[in-house]
Structures are given as C-alpha cells and as structure tokens.
Amino acid sequence: MSEPDTPALNIAQCRRARIDRALQIVVPIIVLLAALVAWEAIVRIKQIPHYIIPTPSLVAQTLIKDWHTLAPSLWFTLELTFAALAMATLGGVLLAIVLSMSRWAELAFLPFAVILQVTPIVAIAPLIMIYVDSTFGALLICAWIVAFFPILSNTIIGLRSADHNLRDLFQLYRASPSQRMRWLLIPSSLPYFLGGLKIAGGLALIGAVVAEFVAGATGKNTGLASRVLEASFRTEIPRMFAALVLICLCGVLIYLLFNGLSRWLLGRWHESELKGDR
Amino acid sequence: MTPTPLDADAPLIQLDHVHKQFANGTVALRSMSITIGEHAFVSLVGPSGCGKSTALRLIAGLTEPSAGRIIRHASLGTNNAIGFVFQEPTLMPWTTVAENVYLPLRVQGISRRQAGPRIDAVLDMVGLRSFSKAYPRELSGGMKMRVSIARALITQPKLLLMDEPFAALDEMTRFKLNDDLLALWERHRWTVIFVTHSVYESAYLSTRVVVMAPRPGRVIADLAQEAAYPRRDAFRISAEYGAFCRTISEQLHHARPTHV
Ligand SMILES: Nc1ncnc2c1ncn2[C@@H]1O[C@H](COP(=O)(O)OP(=O)(O)O)[C@@H](O)[C@H]1O
Ligand SMILES: [Mg+2]
C-alpha cells in the first residue's frame, strides 16, 4: 500500500468507475434517440401516411395537443394501477403471513389463489363487470387479481426461507412469535417480496389496461386504454400512439420505482443488489 | 478402553441414557450418557453422522430426546444460560455486526442504549470493536466466526456449545482462533462443549475428549487430558500432546464406519 503510485492509480480507477456509471445511463438514451431518429427518417423518406405509421414528432405534437384529454386518463390509469398494487401488497403480505404460520391454512386457501392466478384475466373480467356496479371498482378488482399472486407466493417462499440456524438461535433465546416475525422472518423474506413486487407492478398495469379494454369503458372518467380504443374507432392513429406512449411511460415508471426501492432496501446486504468490488 | 474420567467440578448438565430417533427412523443417538462438569472444556469427536450435532441440539433444548433424560443442574441457571455457535457464522446479513451481537439482549427486551457497553465489551473480547458498524459481508470468514462467538458470549452464558465452529476456516485462521478461544476460556472458565472432527483440535483445546461412533451414534471413549493451561504453540509440539492425539486416533479407529 506504500508504493508512491498507489494514489494516482486510485484516482484513475475512481474516474473510470464514474465514467462507467455515466455510460450506463447515456448509452441506452443514445440508442433510444437513434431509434426515434431512424423511425422519423424512414417514415418521411418512404412517405408512409400518418394514418398508418405516424412520425415520432407527430406523436409528440399529438401528445401536447390532446394533453387535456390524455392527462386525466393517464392519472386514472396510474391511480388504478397503484391502488390495485397497494391492495395486492397488503392482502398478499397479510395472507402470506397467515399461511406461513399454518400448514393447514395454506392447504385450505392456496388452491383459491392458484385458481385465480391461472384463469386468464380477460376471461374473468366480463363477469366482474356484471357483478360490480362501479367501473373503477370492477377494474380495480381485475388489476388486483393479477398483481396479488406474485406477491403472495413470493412472500410465502421468503418467509419460509429464513436460515434454519438463525431460527434455532431465536428458539434458543426464547424469542416470541412476534419478535421472530419482525426480526427474522420479515427481513429474510424482503428480497423475495421485492422480487414479487417488481413482477406485480408490471402485472397491475397490464391488468388495469386489459380490464379496461374488456370493459370497453368510454366517457370522461376512463383510462389510457379507453383513449387507445377511442382513437382506434376513429382511426386517429397518432392519438393511438400518443396514448400508447403514455402507457409505456407508466410501465417504465413502475419499473424504475421498484428497482430503486429494491436497491435502497437491499443495497447494503443482499447479493442481488450488491455492486462494485468483490 | 480407558477408564471414564469424571470432571472434578460440580456437574452442570447430564445426559442419562438419551436416545434420539428421527421421524424417518434414523437412530441418531443410542443410549448416550455423559456428565459435563462445570468449567470443563469437553470436545465431542467422531466421524460425520455420529450424532454430534444432535447431541448439542439436545443439550441446548432445541430438540427433545426420544427416550432418556437430560438433567440441567441448578448451577446452570435458567435465563439464557446457553450460548450456541454454529458451523456457519449464522449472522443476519441485513444488519451490522453490533446489531447482530445485540440480538440475544434485544430478545430479552434490553434497550439498545443499555446494551451498548456490553456489545462493545464482547466485541473487544473477540478483537472486532472497530468493525461494529460493518456488515457481515464485509468481513472475512474468520471475522464472521468471531462475531458469532461474541453474540454467543454476550449473555454471559454458563455453557457454550460450539458445533464445528472452525471447520470451514483455513488452518492458519483456525490455529489463531483456537488460541484466542483458549485464552478467553482460561480467563472466564465457562463450560464449553466443542464439537469437532479434528483429533488435533480436540487434543489441543480440551480438558476432556469424548469419542463417538456412528450408526447408531454412541459414545465409545471418554478421555481426560491433564496437561496444564495456558497451552500455546509450544504445546502443539510437546510429547504429551502427541501421545494424546495418538490415543484419540486409536479410539476413533474403532469408530471408523465399515462401509464408506
Ligand atoms: N432432522 C433430521 N431428520 C432425520 N435424520 C437426521 C436429522 N438430523 C440428523 N439426522 C441424521 O442423524 C444422524 C446424526 O446426525 P448429526 O447429529 O448431524 O451428526 P454429526 O453432527 O455427527 O455429523 C445422521 O445420520 C443424520 O443423517
Ligand atoms: Mg454436525
């Protein structure tokens, strides 16, 4: 450690690490921009009519022009997705805790969860629309059903995966069930739960959009899927693209949000989020 | 067979014809009877599968015997009288060294502030005071084991159970930890039951070595080692040590499984 050139080496190493981090953000953005430029160029050069494929710039213009109708829909879809996700998290985690405490409860209830999971949401959605009066309520239930299962199953696996020696240690010190739950089982299950949450986030958005397609909901108080449907009836292709872009952005937002959450919670200790020197 | 030595000190814990059969029919222990005296350093030596871990878990109360009795004498006390060190460090990866060591006190409802000095003291004992804020993954294998030992010691247990604690470490680290453990034991004289499959380790550390054989797990020899403490590197090359290693090895020879 005492060689005179060590500090210089370190500075060079740090700089390289910084550049590396910056490139990780810059490279995907450049590639994305290049793809957009290519799209724009091809559509203009081949003179493809905008009612077949609009240019990105036209989509952007439409986005701004129709913002007053798109914004409420964006808000509606986000609200629906996050409400479903919150309910799925609450329900999934609570049920996982109950099921993990009793083999019998798991045997009794898991089949219902599996049946809900394996039945395609498009097939159940019409029924839910019939039974539930409020459109928002029906859509919420659909999105909840698809988001619920990954959280439930991952959290159950997580709660069961606590190190058996650590379990013995808690038993040796006569920890109460609630101490065991708070200090051992919940932290052990956190990586699994967050994995489930990442999947559930994407699925909740898909559930929200698909359910809205099935509902064929129209009118003012509806989400982005309705804007896509509406635009398709009127063959306003740029508007369809604009709504689609917003749905994509919702997905990306959810993805970034939960990846960030996972990194924040696990960054210091869990293999999946460790980075840097080994 | 050598005569069975009894520890001079008062008995702390006693296994009386203990049988352990698992649900799948495996007989892990057959009629095991030993008495562990206070202040002893007892090693359990034997090939893998001879029921050493099972014996420790029975003593710790982590599992119940299928037959026979485990007698915990009054001198053992009741409240967190037993510390356990596993073969793996068994630390909680999501929190720091200090919080890991705090766990046994936290379970007892002792506040973090109250526990602070005790945490510092045990970390001092194992030489890791300056690593209290580190996460387990930032430590070497030997350091993690030290944390695990510190956690077992924080309740000031009467009885320390160690299940092949150094088996996964390299020889240099193992020798160092052997010496450090002995130095601590010489100072505090808790009772230690130390499981190992190494003849040399058991001969170096113990006041008494219990040799076990597998299928079914049973005690086949119970050997006392009178050599004085402190034992340091010089002891490793003494004739006394060599002779004791020979005796243990000979006994283990009988324990060798016929088909491996
Ligand atoms: N939970 C268990 N269920 C069934 N068999 C077990 C269990 N634990 C240990 N055994 C068996 O009991 C015997 C003794 O095991 P163990 O005490 O772990 O031996 P050691 O620690 O000496 O290697 C082995 O044959 C092992 O396979
Ligand atoms: Mg073992």
Side-chain angles (χ1 to χ4, degrees):
Chain A
M1 285 296 126
S2 58
E3 291 94 320
D5 60 343
T6 308
L9 203 82
N10 266 334
I11 291 168
Q13 215 171 33
C14 286
R15 183 178 309 148
R16 213 170 322 129
R18 244 196 334 267
I19 292 173
D20 201 59
R21 266 200 304 276
L23 281 180
Q24 277 184 21
I25 300 168
V26 172
V27 168
I29 291 178
I30 288 178
V31 172
L32 200 64
L33 285 178
L36 286 177
V37 169
W39 174 359
E40 182 93 28
I42 291 170
V43 172
R44 279 175 194 268
I45 291 165
K46 298 236 169 185
Q47 295 186 331
I48 301 172
H50 68 76
Y51 51 82
I52 295 177
I53 302 177
T55 59
S57 56
L58 181 61
V59 173
Q61 279 167 28
T62 315
L63 207 51
I64 295 164
K65 182 166 62 67
D66 293 346
W67 183 247
H68 61 280
T69 55
L70 288 173
S73 301
L74 171 65
W75 180 244
F76 180 94
T77 296
L78 278 178
E79 206 174 55
L80 185 62
T81 304
F82 279 96
L85 208 49
M87 277 170 53
T89 304
L90 197 72
V93 169
L94 286 180
L95 192 58
I97 288 175
V98 170
L99 297 194
S100 76
M101 286 194 297
S102 151
R103 282 253 162 228
W104 291 110
E106 183 177 355
L107 277 175
F109 284 105
L110 217 51
F112 290 98
V114 173
I115 289 169
L116 273 184
Q117 159 72 7
V118 296
T119 315
I121 191 64
V122 252
I124 323 175
L127 261 185
I128 295 172
M129 303 297 164
I130 292 171
Y131 293 140
V132 181
D133 283 338
S134 132
T135 312
F136 188 82
L139 298 178
L140 188 61
I141 290 173
C142 291
W144 172 78
I145 287 174
V146 289
F148 173 72
F149 193 79
I151 291 184
L152 175 71
S153 64
N154 271 36
T155 310
I156 289 181
I157 294 171
L159 290 170
R160 292 242 159 92
S161 71
D163 182 277
H164 62 275
N165 284 337
L166 277 173
R167 285 173 188 270
D168 281 351
L169 202 70
F170 274 72
Q171 190 190 336
L172 182 75
Y173 290 120
R174 301 202 193 88
S176 68
S178 109
Q179 289 176 329
R180 210 168 65 106
M181 184 54 75
R182 281 178 294 150
W183 301 336
L184 176 63
L185 302 187
I186 288 178
S188 298
S189 69
L190 199 60
Y192 297 83
F193 162 75
L194 288 168
L197 191 61
K198 282 185 202 173
I199 300 169
L203 285 180
L205 179 64
I206 292 174
V209 170
V210 167
E212 210 182 337
F213 271 119
V214 174
T218 48
K220 237 171 81 165
N221 203 11
T222 46
L224 289 169
S226 299
R227 297 291 79 75
V228 172
L229 274 181
E230 221 171 66
S232 105
F233 292 147
R234 303 182 195 155
T235 55
E236 293 173 333
I237 306 301
R239 219 167 115 81
M240 235 171 128
F241 268 84
L244 206 54
V245 164
L246 288 180
I247 293 177
C248 278
L249 286 179
C250 287
V252 171
L253 175 81
I254 289 168
Y255 173 86
L256 291 177
L257 189 70
F258 291 131
N259 269 305
L261 183 71
S262 170
R263 188 159 308 159
W264 179 59
L265 288 173
L266 304 181
R268 290 274 335 238
W269 65 276
H270 198 256
E271 290 294 342
S272 66
E273 296 290 355
L274 291 180
K275 47 192 181 300
D277 292 349
R278 289 261 325 142
Chain B
M1 203 162 137
T2 8
T4 305
L6 283 171
D7 286 295
D9 288 302
L12 193 67
I13 197 158
Q14 207 172 334
L15 304 197
D16 179 22
H17 295 92
V18 167
H19 286 261
K20 180 67 188 184
Q21 181 164 21
F22 287 106
N24 64 4
T26 310
V27 179
L29 285 178
R30 195 186 66 188
S31 192
M32 182 170 182
S33 294
I34 52 168
T35 304
I36 309 287
E38 226 172 319
H39 311 304
F41 196 122
V42 181
S43 286
L44 301 184
V45 189
S48 90
C50 71
K52 304 182 297 292
S53 298
T54 306
L56 275 201
R57 291 172 51 81
L58 283 162
I59 292 168
L62 291 173
T63 175
E64 292 299 314
S66 318
R69 293 185 304 161
I70 296 172
I71 303 154
R72 297 181 173 82
H73 289 270
S75 48
L76 182 62
T78 48
N79 205 19
N80 290 299
I82 297 179
F84 205 117
V85 179
F86 301 90
Q87 179 170 352
E88 299 85 33
T90 311
L91 303 176
M92 301 179 288
W94 53 84
T95 189
T96 60
V97 165
E99 295 303 313
N100 267 286
V101 171
Y102 170 44
L103 180 74
L105 300 184
R106 191 180 189 192
V107 170
Q108 287 178 35
I110 296 171
S111 78
R112 180 67 176 76
R113 204 146 51 86
Q114 232 179 326
R118 287 173 70 178
I119 295 171
D120 290 344
V122 279
L123 284 178
D124 254 341
M125 272 165 77
V126 298
L128 284 179
R129 177 83 180 268
S130 54
F131 287 88
S132 66
K133 291 206 164 61
Y135 280 71
R137 66 171 195 91
E138 295 159 353
L139 307 179
S140 70
M143 288 155 89
K144 282 185 212 164
M145 215 59 233
R146 286 171 186 274
V147 177
S148 186
I149 293 171
R151 179 181 57 196
L153 295 181
I154 200 165
T155 59
Q156 300 177 308
K158 264 287 213 316
L159 177 61
L160 184 59
L161 306 177
M162 306 181 87
D163 192 356
E164 307 196 30
F166 309 141
L169 303 177
D170 60 278
E171 194 160 1
M172 306 274 243
T173 313
R174 186 158 68 235
F175 280 10
K176 178 80 175 85
L177 280 166
N178 280 166
D179 285 339
D180 291 354
L181 176 65
L182 261 197
L184 282 175
W185 175 76
E186 282 158 20
R187 194 137 43 90
H188 298 272
R189 284 288 184 141
W190 341 273
T191 308
V192 180
I193 304 180
F194 187 96
V195 166
T196 175
H197 53 238
S198 160
V199 169
Y200 309 103
E201 197 175 35
S202 69
Y204 185 68
L205 297 171
S206 328
T207 57
R208 177 179 167 197
V209 174
V210 174
V211 182
M212 297 178 68
R215 250 160 279 156
R218 63 200 186 277
V219 175
I220 55 164
D222 197 338
L223 312 162
Q225 163 63 298
E226 314 287 337
Y229 295 87
R231 297 177 186 168
R232 294 289 176 268
D233 275 340
F235 181 66
R236 284 191 200 279
I237 49 169
S238 70
E240 212 176 0
Y241 171 73
F244 196 41
C245 288
R246 260 251 308 280
T247 314
I248 300 169
S249 299
E250 276 165 17
Q251 293 297 341
L252 262 178
H253 194 80
H254 304 308
R256 208 185 277 165
T258 36
H259 18 252
V260 186

